[in-house]
Amino acid sequence: MSGALDIAAPLPGAAFGATVRLARPLSREMPEGLPQALADAGGLLLVPGLNEIAERPRLLVEMSHLFGPEVEDYRTLLTRVSMAHETVPEIFMVTNMLPGSRPPPARPEPPLTADGKLPVQYPHRTGWHTDQSYRRPPPDISLFFAVNPVARERGQTIFASGTLAYDALPPALKARVDNLEGLHAQPGSGRGRGDAEAGRTPRPFAPHERSQRQPVARIHPVTGKKALYLCERSQMDWFDGPFVGMEPGPHGDGARLLDELMAHYTRPEFIYVHEWTQGDVLVWDNRCLVHTATWYDAAKEQRMMWRTTVRGNPGAIYAGETRSWVPQEATAA
Ligand SMILES: [Fe+2]
């Protein structure tokens, strides 16, 4: 029961989110009120002090099951098997501690804003995305556990509230996005903005690799609220998109609208910056938030974070769909 949870809202410095402190260890009691707390907090929860997960990784999977019927098994997601936890394949390791792991993002240029702050707003800050939006149906919720975070003021995760951003859109822009669809592409698939700007020719896609349409104003299946659902440089399709039915490409009308929407989405009043402490679990709702990561010195620092992804309640518009990324299920449509 959420009434039994110790909840402090919003998160420090933000207009959304909440901190939840558990009275008992996870291994003694799974806090069943967390999904309601997540919805009430606008899609972001910090649960600190869960260090026991480091020794008992299955606890993270059990906790994830509170939020939905299916916790993804990374062996079936066509991700590199080396990035999945060796005994718990529902855990994806976000780290620079494994061979072949991806480096942290570059520092923004310039590294600080004119008033000396951490840059958050697009396009000064890039990398904004919602997890796996290039799949239909997309996942609902991600959990991220800090096994070994880096020092403060580096390796942060920054969130923006798509609900607050949508509500604050000028009426004319709201009307414009209400029936619009974005075309989302898998990073590294050759369809990103950099590929289009460089004039590269994208390779043909098999049906299960194709970019996927998603509503720009997405209705949350639990709260009924609309939220902006968008990504930017590497997770939109810049050859046929970024928007369906608008002039495509990195210099078209679609690009101009995307830049305007992402700059609005990431205004400082819609942002939360998380400084990680070992043992933190963050739970975020991909249906109504975007996030991005910040730089750390991968040559000097070792970072190990565990992620799980929960799916199963994407909303009515996805009803009955097969999984777009599974070769046997993808249609040639
Ligand atoms: Fe992510």
Side-chain angles (χ1 to χ4, degrees), residues 309-332:
T309 311
V310 182
R311 42 182 289 114
N313 189 16
I317 64 162
Y318 302 96
E321 287 190 15
T322 54
R323 295 173 293 177
S324 68
W325 65 95
V326 178
Q328 307 89 295
E329 295 183 16
T331 65

Side-chain angles (χ1 to χ4, degrees), residues 176 180-181 240-249 252-258:
R176 213 169 156 200
L180 195 59
E181 286 182 309
D240 296 332
F243 295 112
V244 177
M246 289 187 73
E247 183 186 4
D253 290 343
R256 275 188 286 281
L257 179 61
L258 185 99

